[in-house]
Amino acid sequence: MVVEYTKECYCSETGGFAPAVGYAPNVTSTLSGIQIVYLVNNINSSILKYINIKKIREYLINSNIHNIHNTNIYNTNIYNNTLYYCNDLFGDIDTRIDCCIIVGLYILNKIENTNILNNICNNNILNNNFINHLLNCYNFDGGFGQVESGESHVAQTFCCLVCLCILGKLDKINIEETLIYLREKQYILNNTNNTVYNTNNILSNTDNILNKNNYGGIKGRVNKKVDVCYSYWAYASYMIIKNNSNIYNSNIYNDNSNLYNDNNIYNDNNLYNVYDTDNLIEFIMKCQHPNGGFSDRPGNMPDIYHQMFALASLSMLGMDGLNKVDYITSMVEI
């Protein structure tokens, strides 16, 4: 049923996938379609008879470039007459869209076993456009925003780190500042006085203090509630940095580093302890509903979205019995 529905959402004219039958295709839905094709293709390659990989690639690379200055949709003082990739013809700009395009091309590469990323990496105009846009969305606190000058957000940070990792440009950001940003989003309990803190010793907001079930959870941005999906965005971001950056050659272990000092609850000079993983796992497990599935927070109703991210997080955190997750593609490894 999933395969048949995915085929019905494929638009042979444009090469993109629609979010539902009868709707126009867009980039985010196209990534979902590519992910399904990749997973199904490893079981039954017949699905490739119904789609055109070349057409999908062209859709991602060519169909959604818009000159914001000429269309006069946005403030040109912010967007500086730059070409951006958009989700659809309505001009939706978001670092999430950049991620969907890059990851989509990356997965197509895995399907065809060809280096189709050269379409971007070897094209100076497109490559520089991607990199410049991502870096313009990088903020002083170490996180990335949805757009230039946008508030830092853990999910957007994940999207940008994935792009920079695939394109080999993680060295363009301050790794230490980004680790600090990610680390500060977890709520932990100071056992000496039973007070809930962020990991930078800033007192957490009231909602999280009053609800002990939230201990160990991760929030997406400042003054927001914890949510199980951010366990994935945050921990996957950490895994990208841990496994793909030159962290061992950086100044993170330096005594003057801001990441590990007397003002931090965790003062162990160990990069592998960016998160309190025991309490993070405990928080995720509290989000499991007695009847099955996972919710955003303990006590809420479960849904498929949060179940996927809960299981993916537990996999990355090493729970037995779960398939290994590729944090770049957000899929199980095959």
Side-chain angles (χ1 to χ4, degrees):
M1 182 178 294
V2 172
V3 175
E4 291 301 319
Y5 189 77
T6 302
K7 289 191 295 185
E8 291 179 15
C9 291
Y10 175 65
C11 178
S12 59
E13 181 179 352
T14 64
F17 286 85
V21 177
Y23 284 76
N26 60 54
V27 169
T28 53
S29 297
T30 297
L31 173 60
S32 297
I34 292 172
Q35 289 172 317
I36 294 171
V37 168
Y38 175 75
L39 294 173
V40 172
N41 182 54
N42 281 274
I43 302 173
N44 185 352
S45 61
S46 64
I47 191 173
L48 296 181
K49 299 177 182 178
Y50 301 95
I51 63 172
N52 187 325
I53 296 293
K54 181 180 179 181
K55 198 77 172 179
I56 298 174
R57 183 187 309 134
E58 291 174 350
Y59 174 79
L60 290 176
I61 294 175
N62 300 320
S63 296
N64 295 284
I65 304 175
H66 295 263
N67 190 314
I68 300 305
H69 178 72
N70 289 341
T71 55
N72 201 26
I73 299 176
Y74 296 99
N75 186 334
T76 56
N77 291 327
I78 296 177
Y79 290 91
N80 299 320
N81 193 22
T82 303
L83 289 171
Y84 292 91
Y85 279 89
C86 303
N87 191 40
D88 50 36
L89 295 178
F90 293 99
D92 180 23
I93 296 175
D94 189 328
T95 47
R96 174 177 52 114
I97 310 307
D98 295 340
C99 179
C100 289
I101 292 173
I102 294 296
V103 173
L105 292 173
Y106 179 82
I107 298 173
L108 289 176
N109 179 27
K110 295 169 73 71
I111 293 175
E112 289 199 324
N113 196 27
T114 57
N115 193 3
I116 58 174
L117 273 176
N118 283 337
N119 286 288
I120 286 183
C121 294
N122 291 340
N123 186 316
N124 289 331
I125 295 176
L126 296 181
N127 190 24
N128 291 336
N129 184 65
F130 260 103
I131 301 303
N132 289 338
H133 180 220
L134 295 173
L135 295 180
N136 286 339
C137 295
Y138 188 52
N139 293 321
F140 68 91
D141 61 0
F144 289 83
Q146 180 181 17
V147 294
E148 297 173 26
S149 303
E151 179 185 10
S152 293
H153 190 284
V154 170
Q156 307 296 148
T157 299
F158 165 82
C159 289
C160 293
L161 289 176
V162 166
C163 290
L164 293 174
C165 178
I166 292 176
L167 296 174
K169 300 295 183 179
L170 279 175
D171 60 336
K172 297 294 184 180
I173 64 172
N174 187 323
I175 294 295
E176 180 179 350
E177 290 296 330
T178 300
L179 284 173
I180 293 173
Y181 167 79
L182 292 169
R183 186 173 186 173
E184 289 176 350
K185 300 302 173 286
Q186 184 179 29
Y187 287 104
I188 61 174
L189 181 65
N190 185 339
N191 292 324
T192 59
N193 57 12
N194 289 327
T195 302
V196 182
Y197 284 92
N198 294 91
T199 46
N200 63 343
N201 263 8
I202 297 177
L203 195 63
S204 303
N205 64 41
T206 304
D207 181 81
N208 289 287
I209 293 174
L210 296 178
N211 190 346
K212 292 184 179 180
N213 285 330
N214 288 343
Y215 297 169
I218 298 175
K219 62 181 180 178
R221 51 193 174 94
V222 175
N223 292 327
K224 299 295 288 186
K225 297 179 181 180
V226 297
D227 189 316
V228 77
C229 67
Y230 294 115
S231 304
Y232 179 80
W233 304 125
Y235 200 78
S237 295
Y238 160 62
M239 292 293 287
I240 291 171
I241 292 175
K242 171 186 169 184
N243 294 324
N244 298 281
S245 67
N246 296 321
I247 53 176
Y248 299 108
N249 297 323
S250 70
N251 66 344
I252 288 179
Y253 293 107
N254 190 300
D255 291 337
N256 296 323
S257 170
N258 292 323
L259 186 56
Y260 302 102
N261 55 49
D262 292 336
N263 293 323
N264 275 315
I265 292 175
Y266 288 109
N267 187 23
D268 55 7
N269 291 318
N270 187 345
L271 184 60
Y272 291 94
N273 287 337
V274 166
Y275 289 115
D276 179 348
T277 55
D278 289 339
N279 277 319
L280 178 56
I281 292 173
E282 184 177 349
F283 166 76
I284 296 172
M285 293 307 299
K286 287 179 181 178
C287 294
Q288 186 174 20
H289 194 273
N291 295 329
F294 287 80
S295 60
D296 56 350
R297 283 176 287 278
N300 291 348
M301 292 300 295
D303 59 74
I304 298 296
Y305 178 85
H306 289 95
Q307 174 168 299
M308 179 270 183
F309 288 114
L311 292 175
S313 299
L314 292 172
S315 171
M316 286 192 298
L317 289 162
M319 177 168 283
D320 293 335
L322 296 175
N323 291 332
K324 191 174 182 180
V325 170
D326 179 357
Y327 50 80
I328 296 294
T329 62
S330 301
M331 299 187 300
V332 295
E333 292 187 357
I334 298 177

